[in-house]
Amino acid sequence: WMSLPAVLIAASYPLFKRFFAIPQAYLGVAFGFGIPMAFASCQNELPALAWWLLLANIFWAIAYDTEYAMVDRDDDIRIGIRTSAITFGRFDVLMVMLSYAAMLLVLVHVGYQLGMGWPYYAGLLLALAIAGYHYTLIRTRTREGCFRAFNHNNWLGAAVFASDGSIYFGETLTGKTPYRGSHMEFVPGTDCIGYGRILKFDRAFEPVEEFAVDNARELSGFKGVTHLSLHPGERTVAYTTETGKRLMRYDLVERRQLPDLAVVAGDDL
């Protein structure tokens, strides 16, 4: 039944750009609604943890999508679309950084409640450092810098630390078609911008394994693994493709795709 509000939220998001001052917050709800859906599917309940994680996702969406909105601010003003970059005005950079800070504070609270070990907090420190790097990109508000910060969020969001210090990254890009006007580069020696895999690195940041996982069909056509979460048992990973309609799972031990956790009905995007 959780898929019903998910569909309504996703379908109504474009309308919010016409009248809601910060549609990026609503985007965070739309993109993050797979979190309570996964809890409902796997545990048949919605604990407080699900809503804390959704809140962290909302703050993250405000941060990264405001960076994107800063790129298109002049165009959005001209066509009459509301965005957080327009609403925040000269405080846009400050609000991006405060949103990153709020996301990380929520995740610190989550980690404390779950009794997470040092690798988890090391991951949050890495995310904090990445957020600091984003500040250097957006502080002058150039289109190129803001777009680079937006694209760089895959490094912030897809790093998940295992108990042995391993790191799992989702390969955000897939296919052979770079986004128009972007700085996407081809994988050296290939004609692809990426393969949409999940990659494992050890604590020394040396590559260990690659996992060829499924990707969901999505609007832009070039996104692979954009968000992922490692199960506490460290055997399976749940992940999704931004703007796709599947919440997918993969068994890292048997190296096989598992049944999806959730699928939004309908073939249209």
Side-chain angles (χ1 to χ4, degrees), residues 232-244:
E234 300 180 12
R235 180 187 179 103
T236 62
V237 63
Y239 66 98
T240 191
T241 300
E242 184 181 329
T243 73

Side-chain angles (χ1 to χ4, degrees), residues 92 120 138 185 210 213 239:
D92 50 1
Y120 175 81
I138 67 174
E185 298 181 357
E210 297 179 1
V213 300
Y239 66 98

Side-chain angles (χ1 to χ4, degrees), residues 108-123:
V108 167
H109 170 73
V110 168
Y112 177 77
Q113 293 296 319
L114 294 177
M116 301 296 286
W118 70 264
Y120 175 81
Y121 295 102

